Amino acid sequence: MFRSFIDSHFFFLTEKMILSTLQTPRSLSRLSLTRHSHSYTSRASLTDQTPTLTTSPPPHSEILSTRQTLLSRRASAADLALSRLARLRLVEPRLRAFLHLPDDDALHAQARRLDARIAAGDDPGPLAGVLVGVKDNICTKDMPSTGGSRVLAGYRPPFDATAVKRVRELGGIVVGKTNMDEFGMGSTTEASAFQVTANPWDESRVPGGSSGGSAAAVSSRQCVVSLGSDTGGSVRQPASFCGVVGLKPTYGRVSRFGLMAYASSLDTVGCFGSSVADTGILLHAIAGHDRFDATSSKQDVPDFQSQFASVSSLESKPLKGLRVGLISETIDKGVDAGVISAIRAAALHFEELGCSVNEVSLPSFSLGLPAYYILAVSESSSNLSRYDGIRYGNQVYADELDSLYGGSRAEGFGSEVKMRILMGTYALSAGYYDAYYKRAQQVRTIIRNSFKEALSQNDILISPAAPSAAYKIGEKKNDPLAMYAGDIMTVNVNLAGLPALVLPCGFVEDGPAGLPVGLQMIGAAFNEGELLRVGHIFEQTLENFRFVPPIVADDDIAF
Amino acid sequence: MASAIFRSLQVHPFLLYPTTLLRRRNGVYHLTTKATQSQTDTQPRQPQTKVSTSSTQSKKLDKIPKNYEAIIGIETHVQLSTLTKAFCGCPYHYGSPPNSSICPICMGLPGALPVLNSKVIEFAVKLGLALNCNLAFNSKFDRKQYFYPDLPKGYQISQFDVPIASAGFVDVDIPVEFGGGHKRFGITRVHMEEDAGKLLHAENGNYSQVDLNRAGVPLLEIVSEPDMRNGIEAAEYAAEIQRLVRYLGVSNGNMQEGSLRCDVNVSIRPIGQSKFGTKVEIKNLNSFSSVSRAIDFEIARQVQLHSQGQEDQIVQETRLWEEGSQRTITMRKKEGLADYRYFPEPDLPAVILAQEYVDDIIKSLPELPEIKRRRYEQMGLSMQDVLFLANDKNIAEFFDATLAKGADPKLVANWIMSDIAAFMKNEKLTINEIRLTPEELSELIASIKGGTISGKIGKEVLFELLAKGGTVKELIEKKDLVQIVDPVEIEKMVEKVIAENPKQVEQYRGGKTKLQGFFAGQVMKLSKGKANPGLLNRILLEKLSSNS
Ligand SMILES: [Zn+2]
């Protein structure tokens, strides 16, 4: 009934968007290769200082080794892309991490263009040849972007999200769109309208969510790094469940333009990698002010590369003097014992590295969860209003307008989304606004202040990334409150707008090969550099753990 | 003439039915029927379009009975003439093909975000200051949520509890024929918001189409205090808002294009009652005259119901003004208060005004209509002249520029209001489009005053200047308009001609008197055609007749 004239204008719009968002590529020379020769051999000095000898090498930067491979012409981008695509496709039927994969030819063509640039002696960019998975709520103009929702099934945006555009400008190859809970509303990918992704460590378990596809894809080495989004923990919790590094940047650090809004005041675009260095390099690529996002910050983006010191250059106590606060409320009741002991072990490791570790109490911590849910559902009830079937997406035929709206949205949205829209609509209704939304904003201020206070006493705060390791598919599907409670570790950080890095720090004994446990490190606003520096040292000095899931054959990752 | 004053009333050309349109409650309304294309249109007065007050229909609805009073408030939406929309880079041009000026942002595509056009703030501050408001140095945007196909995001970005300007007033001069007087109407608030798109309904009613060109165009909503008491006051208030936005250059204020939209709220109560009556909203008012007539109709309707004991039939509703039948009809009844679930727009930072920024804007404000009117009044102009001249910013500028050259205000006003206005009206030109410049008008007035040319010739010169341009001096010279009336000068020329033509003088004196024409021609040639012919002939005859 209602149809606009718009469709025929998409091409024009696309062109316009490209023109109007053109940016000068950042300096490619910032990435110095020589500085990053850390990895296997360079660990001698540290092992001299530590009593336990390691049998597994620390993770290295796949982005940097890809770059070395390409620049030294050991392999072409086309060859690398094809071999990695083959592996991606090999495990995909078991994991179902991707909602959309472009055909090989398209990716191959992109890789060939990179090879041509390398052959011509040009710098192909710091992300050259790197396969990047992109969460499906981040717009890509050459691939469908559905946000995991039926309401947008088949929808193709006319523009690239700013983060995607920057990845491409730096040579990255978008390898596909990753699965997620519908519009980011969920912690398992079970709320995806299309499929459930399996955890690479145990295929009977969830990968976490909502960025479960992005986390599983990096964990299983289907792609090198991936973009996710984090509104209440949607990068950090799946990073923890899948044993990869996940970074939620400071609110405003990365443009949200092109990220389908869930809760605008909390949404961030985040990064996944199998090492801290890769995660940091990806963040560096996408961070910085964007004139298409009024909430993006004009703060300078420092060169995170310099934070990834080679282990050989480390002193015996490389983090000497660093004040680490362990948030006591996060190792309390309701948190799995295995998780607590992994975090305590991580705290010991920090001490070994020279840090002073103290427990700090954030009394407002438990207020975060209800405040978060009020704000998130309120904003989402508004943000999802645009999915009305009028201009794009799923439209139900109806004789009158209200039925068109009702039908399109009833068919288009899943039950979790509907529930949150209803709750948010209720919370914003006249007469309830003060009791819910306004009150939640007040709590948000309290939480922000208590973090500020804690971060004036400590350089970083640590906690688990989730109260448990990955649970079984279906286990919490019918118990939304239990699932919401799983966000307790992460939502406060979104309310405070702070950056947080999650990296694997240990295992709990479960599943066929144990399940990884993620450590969350929270830093001061716009201090991602410090988190990456500390995270990198932690990661490179962590003994006895190897966070490669069983789905990845050993020889697969050696390239 | 006395009762016919220029009003900036405009009506849609399609709606011009003289019997219904030109009827006034208590006076003559002057309606211009020009469909204005530019923002600098003028409404020149033309005595011949003066209309009698004879009412043709529903006269009984025209009067507010003495024992009732009406309470009227107006919400005005002003579309800002920024180069681009409020939150994206799309331009907006009225009448563009549907959906030709849209982008992912104003279409509300997934992932698109608004970024505020800073001109919107500048224009809001200008209007807020011009309306004598208090500015909120720290305001914000909010989302007003409802579903409609012309609203792409499912919410309108607006301002809710902290408008950028509030608690102001506007001063208005009521035209003499409506009783005259100076009135002050309160302004409750001014806030920034975005416009919605438009629905185009198919003629068979089977489907509707959405045109999003207008979606995201910046608006200022101006809410008045309920200070107006009749249709004339309301129309005057709206006309003053139009003058203000045009003076400030923030909008073209064009009602037919929807750049200025008025929704009025009307209630009545018996005089002496403190409680307000039930408020009825009226929409679809496309001209100041329909504002006035719709209100007067609505007042009469409500009074009639009230006086017949059917007070309960006055319900809270939105009524539509029907231009054809000259009445209001029910559009929708309001069932409870609409809940727009306002909350702060998280995609936009707070709007913080620096004192310096505001000071700079204050410095840049032009002379506003009210101040101009008072200044003209002090010059001794009649209120009728004052209102006409100050009504249109461009006419006022022309007037002021002419005065700056030293011309007498009353003379300038007369010229502008009579022949110049008539010319503009006939030629459908604005004052900026005519070839006459203020300098030349001043020169023309001085030429007449100084006796160089007669008033009659002055008019000829004026029309020449209006149509073709040029300078007064050039024209007077070219058209031989300055006469030589000095007898001594003419005598000299006659003597010269006589002295140079002794043979012809001989013949003339010998009886060939028709040679007088020859001599006259020679003298005229010598004077380059400027000698006064009567004087010339008289002196020539004298000289020829006298025996030297
Ligand atoms: Zn636009």
Side-chain angles (χ1 to χ4, degrees), chain A residues 1 5-6 9 13 256 258 264 382-383 386 391-392 405 430, chain B residues 99 102 107-109 111 143 145 148-149 152 206 339 347:
Chain A
M1 298 295 292
F5 306 91
I6 285 163
H9 289 276
L13 290 168
R256 292 185 292 120
S264 314
S382 174
N383 284 327
R386 67 186 61 196
R391 294 166 308 285
Y392 46 80
Y405 283 144
Chain B
N99 295 314
I102 54 172
M107 286 164 72
L109 293 194
R143 291 185 182 176
Q145 310 192 68
Y148 206 62
N206 282 350
D339 184 357
D347 288 332

PDB file of all heavy atoms in Angstrom, chain A residues 1 5-6 9 13 256 258 264 382-383 386 391-392 405 430, chain B residues 99 102 107-109 111 143 145 148-149 152 206 339 347:
ATOM      1  N   MET A   1       0.834  -1.190   0.000  1.00  0.00           N
ATOM      2  CA  MET A   1       0.000   0.000   0.000  1.00  0.00           C
ATOM      3  C   MET A   1       0.878   1.252   0.000  1.00  0.00           C
ATOM      4  O   MET A   1       0.796   2.095  -0.862  1.00  0.00           O
ATOM      5  CB  MET A   1      -0.896   0.022   1.243  1.00  0.00           C
ATOM      6  CG  MET A   1      -1.852  -1.135   1.295  1.00  0.00           C
ATOM      7  SD  MET A   1      -3.020  -1.060  -0.049  1.00  0.00           S
ATOM      8  CE  MET A   1      -3.957   0.383   0.417  1.00  0.00           C
ATOM      9  N   PHE A   5       9.067   6.201  -3.729  1.00  0.00           N
ATOM     10  CA  PHE A   5       9.724   6.199  -5.036  1.00  0.00           C
ATOM     11  C   PHE A   5      11.202   5.866  -4.891  1.00  0.00           C
ATOM     12  O   PHE A   5      11.970   5.955  -5.812  1.00  0.00           O
ATOM     13  CB  PHE A   5       9.686   7.592  -5.656  1.00  0.00           C
ATOM     14  CG  PHE A   5       8.335   8.200  -5.767  1.00  0.00           C
ATOM     15  CD1 PHE A   5       7.852   8.989  -4.744  1.00  0.00           C
ATOM     16  CD2 PHE A   5       7.556   8.006  -6.894  1.00  0.00           C
ATOM     17  CE1 PHE A   5       6.608   9.599  -4.859  1.00  0.00           C
ATOM     18  CE2 PHE A   5       6.315   8.609  -7.002  1.00  0.00           C
ATOM     19  CZ  PHE A   5       5.838   9.398  -5.988  1.00  0.00           C
ATOM     20  N   ILE A   6      11.575   5.534  -3.700  1.00  0.00           N
ATOM     21  CA  ILE A   6      12.977   5.606  -3.346  1.00  0.00           C
ATOM     22  C   ILE A   6      13.863   4.619  -4.086  1.00  0.00           C
ATOM     23  O   ILE A   6      14.970   4.952  -4.479  1.00  0.00           O
ATOM     24  CB  ILE A   6      13.118   5.408  -1.828  1.00  0.00           C
ATOM     25  CG1 ILE A   6      12.667   6.698  -1.144  1.00  0.00           C
ATOM     26  CG2 ILE A   6      14.519   5.058  -1.438  1.00  0.00           C
ATOM     27  CD1 ILE A   6      12.366   6.524   0.303  1.00  0.00           C
ATOM     28  N   HIS A   9      16.560   5.274  -6.561  1.00  0.00           N
ATOM     29  CA  HIS A   9      17.594   6.252  -6.232  1.00  0.00           C
ATOM     30  C   HIS A   9      18.787   5.666  -5.510  1.00  0.00           C
ATOM     31  O   HIS A   9      19.703   6.370  -5.169  1.00  0.00           O
ATOM     32  CB  HIS A   9      17.006   7.380  -5.383  1.00  0.00           C
ATOM     33  CG  HIS A   9      16.110   8.256  -6.174  1.00  0.00           C
ATOM     34  ND1 HIS A   9      16.560   9.288  -6.944  1.00  0.00           N
ATOM     35  CD2 HIS A   9      14.769   8.219  -6.348  1.00  0.00           C
ATOM     36  CE1 HIS A   9      15.546   9.875  -7.533  1.00  0.00           C
ATOM     37  NE2 HIS A   9      14.448   9.250  -7.192  1.00  0.00           N
ATOM     38  N   LEU A  13      22.377   7.437  -4.608  1.00  0.00           N
ATOM     39  CA  LEU A  13      22.761   7.663  -3.219  1.00  0.00           C
ATOM     40  C   LEU A  13      24.107   7.060  -2.909  1.00  0.00           C
ATOM     41  O   LEU A  13      24.925   7.650  -2.230  1.00  0.00           O
ATOM     42  CB  LEU A  13      21.712   7.045  -2.289  1.00  0.00           C
ATOM     43  CG  LEU A  13      20.384   7.780  -2.299  1.00  0.00           C
ATOM     44  CD1 LEU A  13      19.337   6.954  -1.607  1.00  0.00           C
ATOM     45  CD2 LEU A  13      20.557   9.121  -1.617  1.00  0.00           C
ATOM     46  N   ARG A 256      30.031   5.345  14.962  1.00  0.00           N
ATOM     47  CA  ARG A 256      28.901   4.420  14.905  1.00  0.00           C
ATOM     48  C   ARG A 256      28.168   4.516  13.574  1.00  0.00           C
ATOM     49  O   ARG A 256      27.169   3.830  13.363  1.00  0.00           O
ATOM     50  CB  ARG A 256      27.911   4.734  16.031  1.00  0.00           C
ATOM     51  CG  ARG A 256      28.427   4.439  17.419  1.00  0.00           C
ATOM     52  CD  ARG A 256      27.334   4.662  18.462  1.00  0.00           C
ATOM     53  NE  ARG A 256      26.973   6.054  18.605  1.00  0.00           N
ATOM     54  CZ  ARG A 256      25.753   6.544  18.386  1.00  0.00           C
ATOM     55  NH1 ARG A 256      24.779   5.749  18.017  1.00  0.00           N
ATOM     56  NH2 ARG A 256      25.513   7.828  18.529  1.00  0.00           N
ATOM     57  N   GLY A 258      26.745   3.742  10.373  1.00  0.00           N
ATOM     58  CA  GLY A 258      26.625   2.469   9.672  1.00  0.00           C
ATOM     59  C   GLY A 258      26.420   1.288  10.596  1.00  0.00           C
ATOM     60  O   GLY A 258      26.214   0.176  10.140  1.00  0.00           O
ATOM     61  N   SER A 264      21.686   3.736  21.360  1.00  0.00           N
ATOM     62  CA  SER A 264      22.657   4.678  20.811  1.00  0.00           C
ATOM     63  C   SER A 264      23.657   5.223  21.826  1.00  0.00           C
ATOM     64  O   SER A 264      24.805   5.472  21.486  1.00  0.00           O
ATOM     65  CB  SER A 264      21.923   5.841  20.171  1.00  0.00           C
ATOM     66  OG  SER A 264      20.866   5.375  19.376  1.00  0.00           O
ATOM     67  N   SER A 382      12.885   2.949  20.532  1.00  0.00           N
ATOM     68  CA  SER A 382      12.873   4.080  19.612  1.00  0.00           C
ATOM     69  C   SER A 382      13.659   3.771  18.335  1.00  0.00           C
ATOM     70  O   SER A 382      13.190   4.009  17.221  1.00  0.00           O
ATOM     71  CB  SER A 382      13.464   5.295  20.327  1.00  0.00           C
ATOM     72  OG  SER A 382      13.612   6.374  19.458  1.00  0.00           O
ATOM     73  N   ASN A 383      14.854   3.211  18.531  1.00  0.00           N
ATOM     74  CA  ASN A 383      15.712   2.956  17.369  1.00  0.00           C
ATOM     75  C   ASN A 383      15.115   1.960  16.385  1.00  0.00           C
ATOM     76  O   ASN A 383      15.392   2.003  15.198  1.00  0.00           O
ATOM     77  CB  ASN A 383      17.081   2.442  17.839  1.00  0.00           C
ATOM     78  CG  ASN A 383      17.944   3.556  18.382  1.00  0.00           C
ATOM     79  OD1 ASN A 383      17.875   4.695  17.918  1.00  0.00           O
ATOM     80  ND2 ASN A 383      18.770   3.238  19.370  1.00  0.00           N
ATOM     81  N   ARG A 386      12.103   2.509  13.059  1.00  0.00           N
ATOM     82  CA  ARG A 386      12.255   2.721  11.615  1.00  0.00           C
ATOM     83  C   ARG A 386      11.986   1.453  10.815  1.00  0.00           C
ATOM     84  O   ARG A 386      11.786   1.527   9.606  1.00  0.00           O
ATOM     85  CB  ARG A 386      13.644   3.268  11.303  1.00  0.00           C
ATOM     86  CG  ARG A 386      14.785   2.305  11.573  1.00  0.00           C
ATOM     87  CD  ARG A 386      16.118   2.988  11.368  1.00  0.00           C
ATOM     88  NE  ARG A 386      16.281   4.121  12.281  1.00  0.00           N
ATOM     89  CZ  ARG A 386      17.204   5.077  12.128  1.00  0.00           C
ATOM     90  NH1 ARG A 386      18.019   5.036  11.098  1.00  0.00           N
ATOM     91  NH2 ARG A 386      17.305   6.047  13.000  1.00  0.00           N
ATOM     92  N   ARG A 391       9.752   1.703   3.893  1.00  0.00           N
ATOM     93  CA  ARG A 391      10.789   2.093   2.931  1.00  0.00           C
ATOM     94  C   ARG A 391      11.679   0.943   2.494  1.00  0.00           C
ATOM     95  O   ARG A 391      12.244   0.946   1.414  1.00  0.00           O
ATOM     96  CB  ARG A 391      11.667   3.208   3.525  1.00  0.00           C
ATOM     97  CG  ARG A 391      10.938   4.514   3.756  1.00  0.00           C
ATOM     98  CD  ARG A 391      11.744   5.440   4.646  1.00  0.00           C
ATOM     99  NE  ARG A 391      12.155   4.771   5.876  1.00  0.00           N
ATOM    100  CZ  ARG A 391      11.361   4.511   6.907  1.00  0.00           C
ATOM    101  NH1 ARG A 391      10.102   4.901   6.859  1.00  0.00           N
ATOM    102  NH2 ARG A 391      11.776   3.861   7.959  1.00  0.00           N
ATOM    103  N   TYR A 392      11.885  -0.002   3.386  1.00  0.00           N
ATOM    104  CA  TYR A 392      12.793  -1.102   3.076  1.00  0.00           C
ATOM    105  C   TYR A 392      12.437  -2.255   3.994  1.00  0.00           C
ATOM    106  O   TYR A 392      11.687  -2.083   4.956  1.00  0.00           O
ATOM    107  CB  TYR A 392      14.263  -0.693   3.301  1.00  0.00           C
ATOM    108  CG  TYR A 392      14.495   0.023   4.606  1.00  0.00           C
ATOM    109  CD1 TYR A 392      14.603  -0.677   5.803  1.00  0.00           C
ATOM    110  CD2 TYR A 392      14.571   1.411   4.642  1.00  0.00           C
ATOM    111  CE1 TYR A 392      14.795  -0.026   7.005  1.00  0.00           C
ATOM    112  CE2 TYR A 392      14.759   2.073   5.858  1.00  0.00           C
ATOM    113  CZ  TYR A 392      14.874   1.349   7.026  1.00  0.00           C
ATOM    114  OH  TYR A 392      15.053   2.003   8.216  1.00  0.00           O
ATOM    115  N   TYR A 405       1.777  -1.844   9.466  1.00  0.00           N
ATOM    116  CA  TYR A 405       2.774  -1.716  10.535  1.00  0.00           C
ATOM    117  C   TYR A 405       2.794  -2.975  11.401  1.00  0.00           C
ATOM    118  O   TYR A 405       3.829  -3.594  11.633  1.00  0.00           O
ATOM    119  CB  TYR A 405       2.445  -0.528  11.445  1.00  0.00           C
ATOM    120  CG  TYR A 405       2.795   0.835  10.894  1.00  0.00           C
ATOM    121  CD1 TYR A 405       1.975   1.930  11.155  1.00  0.00           C
ATOM    122  CD2 TYR A 405       3.958   1.040  10.160  1.00  0.00           C
ATOM    123  CE1 TYR A 405       2.298   3.200  10.681  1.00  0.00           C
ATOM    124  CE2 TYR A 405       4.279   2.300   9.680  1.00  0.00           C
ATOM    125  CZ  TYR A 405       3.454   3.385   9.946  1.00  0.00           C
ATOM    126  OH  TYR A 405       3.775   4.625   9.488  1.00  0.00           O
ATOM    127  N   ALA A 430       4.357   8.058  29.316  1.00  0.00           N
ATOM    128  CA  ALA A 430       4.020   9.163  30.221  1.00  0.00           C
ATOM    129  C   ALA A 430       3.644   8.596  31.587  1.00  0.00           C
ATOM    130  O   ALA A 430       2.905   7.624  31.685  1.00  0.00           O
ATOM    131  CB  ALA A 430       2.854   9.958  29.646  1.00  0.00           C
TER     132      ALA A 430
ATOM    133  N   ASN B  99      11.290  12.539  -3.947  1.00  0.00           N
ATOM    134  CA  ASN B  99      12.457  11.748  -3.534  1.00  0.00           C
ATOM    135  C   ASN B  99      13.697  12.006  -4.382  1.00  0.00           C
ATOM    136  O   ASN B  99      14.483  11.102  -4.640  1.00  0.00           O
ATOM    137  CB  ASN B  99      12.109  10.255  -3.511  1.00  0.00           C
ATOM    138  CG  ASN B  99      11.074   9.954  -2.457  1.00  0.00           C
ATOM    139  OD1 ASN B  99      11.194  10.418  -1.330  1.00  0.00           O
ATOM    140  ND2 ASN B  99      10.043   9.234  -2.817  1.00  0.00           N
ATOM    141  N   ILE B 102      17.176  13.228  -1.255  1.00  0.00           N
ATOM    142  CA  ILE B 102      17.155  12.386  -0.058  1.00  0.00           C
ATOM    143  C   ILE B 102      18.465  11.612   0.030  1.00  0.00           C
ATOM    144  O   ILE B 102      19.175  11.463  -0.955  1.00  0.00           O
ATOM    145  CB  ILE B 102      15.972  11.381  -0.094  1.00  0.00           C
ATOM    146  CG1 ILE B 102      16.003  10.574  -1.399  1.00  0.00           C
ATOM    147  CG2 ILE B 102      14.655  12.110   0.045  1.00  0.00           C
ATOM    148  CD1 ILE B 102      15.007   9.449  -1.444  1.00  0.00           C
ATOM    149  N   MET B 107      16.392   9.482   4.994  1.00  0.00           N
ATOM    150  CA  MET B 107      15.494   8.353   4.736  1.00  0.00           C
ATOM    151  C   MET B 107      15.379   7.446   5.955  1.00  0.00           C
ATOM    152  O   MET B 107      14.582   6.520   5.961  1.00  0.00           O
ATOM    153  CB  MET B 107      16.042   7.502   3.592  1.00  0.00           C
ATOM    154  CG  MET B 107      15.885   8.120   2.218  1.00  0.00           C
ATOM    155  SD  MET B 107      16.972   7.253   1.069  1.00  0.00           S
ATOM    156  CE  MET B 107      16.099   5.702   0.920  1.00  0.00           C
ATOM    157  N   GLY B 108      16.229   7.693   6.956  1.00  0.00           N
ATOM    158  CA  GLY B 108      16.193   6.833   8.135  1.00  0.00           C
ATOM    159  C   GLY B 108      16.654   5.422   7.853  1.00  0.00           C
ATOM    160  O   GLY B 108      16.126   4.461   8.413  1.00  0.00           O
ATOM    161  N   LEU B 109      17.658   5.263   6.991  1.00  0.00           N
ATOM    162  CA  LEU B 109      18.170   3.914   6.740  1.00  0.00           C
ATOM    163  C   LEU B 109      18.887   3.384   7.983  1.00  0.00           C
ATOM    164  O   LEU B 109      19.377   4.156   8.803  1.00  0.00           O
ATOM    165  CB  LEU B 109      19.146   3.924   5.550  1.00  0.00           C
ATOM    166  CG  LEU B 109      18.576   4.243   4.178  1.00  0.00           C
ATOM    167  CD1 LEU B 109      19.584   3.876   3.085  1.00  0.00           C
ATOM    168  CD2 LEU B 109      17.283   3.485   3.926  1.00  0.00           C
ATOM    169  N   GLY B 111      21.517   2.377  10.495  1.00  0.00           N
ATOM    170  CA  GLY B 111      22.905   2.785  10.678  1.00  0.00           C
ATOM    171  C   GLY B 111      23.181   4.253  10.404  1.00  0.00           C
ATOM    172  O   GLY B 111      24.264   4.740  10.701  1.00  0.00           O
ATOM    173  N   ARG B 143      13.623  13.057  21.182  1.00  0.00           N
ATOM    174  CA  ARG B 143      12.879  12.318  20.157  1.00  0.00           C
ATOM    175  C   ARG B 143      11.398  12.325  20.507  1.00  0.00           C
ATOM    176  O   ARG B 143      11.017  11.990  21.622  1.00  0.00           O
ATOM    177  CB  ARG B 143      13.371  10.872  20.083  1.00  0.00           C
ATOM    178  CG  ARG B 143      14.773  10.738  19.531  1.00  0.00           C
ATOM    179  CD  ARG B 143      15.123   9.269  19.387  1.00  0.00           C
ATOM    180  NE  ARG B 143      16.487   9.081  18.900  1.00  0.00           N
ATOM    181  CZ  ARG B 143      17.061   7.897  18.757  1.00  0.00           C
ATOM    182  NH1 ARG B 143      16.376   6.794  19.079  1.00  0.00           N
ATOM    183  NH2 ARG B 143      18.298   7.803  18.302  1.00  0.00           N
ATOM    184  N   GLN B 145       8.102  10.477  19.464  1.00  0.00           N
ATOM    185  CA  GLN B 145       7.910   9.202  18.781  1.00  0.00           C
ATOM    186  C   GLN B 145       6.468   8.941  18.374  1.00  0.00           C
ATOM    187  O   GLN B 145       5.562   9.004  19.198  1.00  0.00           O
ATOM    188  CB  GLN B 145       8.378   8.070  19.699  1.00  0.00           C
ATOM    189  CG  GLN B 145       9.772   8.329  20.270  1.00  0.00           C
ATOM    190  CD  GLN B 145      10.341   7.107  20.930  1.00  0.00           C
ATOM    191  OE1 GLN B 145      10.645   6.120  20.268  1.00  0.00           O
ATOM    192  NE2 GLN B 145      10.468   7.156  22.239  1.00  0.00           N
ATOM    193  N   TYR B 148       4.241   7.124  11.419  1.00  0.00           N
ATOM    194  CA  TYR B 148       3.505   7.615  10.257  1.00  0.00           C
ATOM    195  C   TYR B 148       4.413   7.443   9.046  1.00  0.00           C
ATOM    196  O   TYR B 148       5.624   7.601   9.171  1.00  0.00           O
ATOM    197  CB  TYR B 148       3.062   9.078  10.441  1.00  0.00           C
ATOM    198  CG  TYR B 148       1.840   9.392   9.610  1.00  0.00           C
ATOM    199  CD1 TYR B 148       0.649   8.716   9.838  1.00  0.00           C
ATOM    200  CD2 TYR B 148       1.897  10.320   8.582  1.00  0.00           C
ATOM    201  CE1 TYR B 148      -0.462   8.963   9.055  1.00  0.00           C
ATOM    202  CE2 TYR B 148       0.788  10.580   7.791  1.00  0.00           C
ATOM    203  CZ  TYR B 148      -0.396   9.892   8.034  1.00  0.00           C
ATOM    204  OH  TYR B 148      -1.494  10.125   7.254  1.00  0.00           O
ATOM    205  N   PRO B 149       3.843   7.116   7.898  1.00  0.00           N
ATOM    206  CA  PRO B 149       4.714   6.807   6.749  1.00  0.00           C
ATOM    207  C   PRO B 149       5.601   7.970   6.294  1.00  0.00           C
ATOM    208  O   PRO B 149       6.593   7.756   5.622  1.00  0.00           O
ATOM    209  CB  PRO B 149       3.721   6.416   5.645  1.00  0.00           C
ATOM    210  CG  PRO B 149       2.505   5.981   6.377  1.00  0.00           C
ATOM    211  CD  PRO B 149       2.434   6.822   7.605  1.00  0.00           C
ATOM    212  N   PRO B 152      10.340   8.957   8.589  1.00  0.00           N
ATOM    213  CA  PRO B 152      11.166   7.773   8.259  1.00  0.00           C
ATOM    214  C   PRO B 152      11.748   7.057   9.466  1.00  0.00           C
ATOM    215  O   PRO B 152      11.876   5.840   9.442  1.00  0.00           O
ATOM    216  CB  PRO B 152      12.298   8.354   7.402  1.00  0.00           C
ATOM    217  CG  PRO B 152      11.862   9.715   7.003  1.00  0.00           C
ATOM    218  CD  PRO B 152      10.862  10.183   7.989  1.00  0.00           C
ATOM    219  N   ASN B 206      -6.641   4.410  -3.653  1.00  0.00           N
ATOM    220  CA  ASN B 206      -6.200   3.034  -3.443  1.00  0.00           C
ATOM    221  C   ASN B 206      -4.828   2.915  -2.804  1.00  0.00           C
ATOM    222  O   ASN B 206      -4.498   1.883  -2.250  1.00  0.00           O
ATOM    223  CB  ASN B 206      -6.180   2.277  -4.771  1.00  0.00           C
ATOM    224  CG  ASN B 206      -7.583   1.857  -5.166  1.00  0.00           C
ATOM    225  OD1 ASN B 206      -8.510   1.982  -4.358  1.00  0.00           O
ATOM    226  ND2 ASN B 206      -7.744   1.387  -6.380  1.00  0.00           N
ATOM    227  N   ASP B 339       0.689  10.080  23.608  1.00  0.00           N
ATOM    228  CA  ASP B 339       1.926   9.900  24.373  1.00  0.00           C
ATOM    229  C   ASP B 339       3.072   9.735  23.387  1.00  0.00           C
ATOM    230  O   ASP B 339       3.202   8.704  22.737  1.00  0.00           O
ATOM    231  CB  ASP B 339       1.802   8.670  25.279  1.00  0.00           C
ATOM    232  CG  ASP B 339       3.022   8.510  26.170  1.00  0.00           C
ATOM    233  OD1 ASP B 339       3.979   9.310  26.035  1.00  0.00           O
ATOM    234  OD2 ASP B 339       3.017   7.588  27.002  1.00  0.00           O
ATOM    235  N   ASP B 347      21.800  10.548  19.857  1.00  0.00           N
ATOM    236  CA  ASP B 347      22.727  10.665  18.732  1.00  0.00           C
ATOM    237  C   ASP B 347      23.301  12.074  18.577  1.00  0.00           C
ATOM    238  O   ASP B 347      24.190  12.285  17.760  1.00  0.00           O
ATOM    239  CB  ASP B 347      22.027  10.275  17.414  1.00  0.00           C
ATOM    240  CG  ASP B 347      21.785   8.782  17.319  1.00  0.00           C
ATOM    241  OD1 ASP B 347      22.571   8.021  17.924  1.00  0.00           O
ATOM    242  OD2 ASP B 347      20.817   8.366  16.658  1.00  0.00           O
TER     243      ASP B 347
END
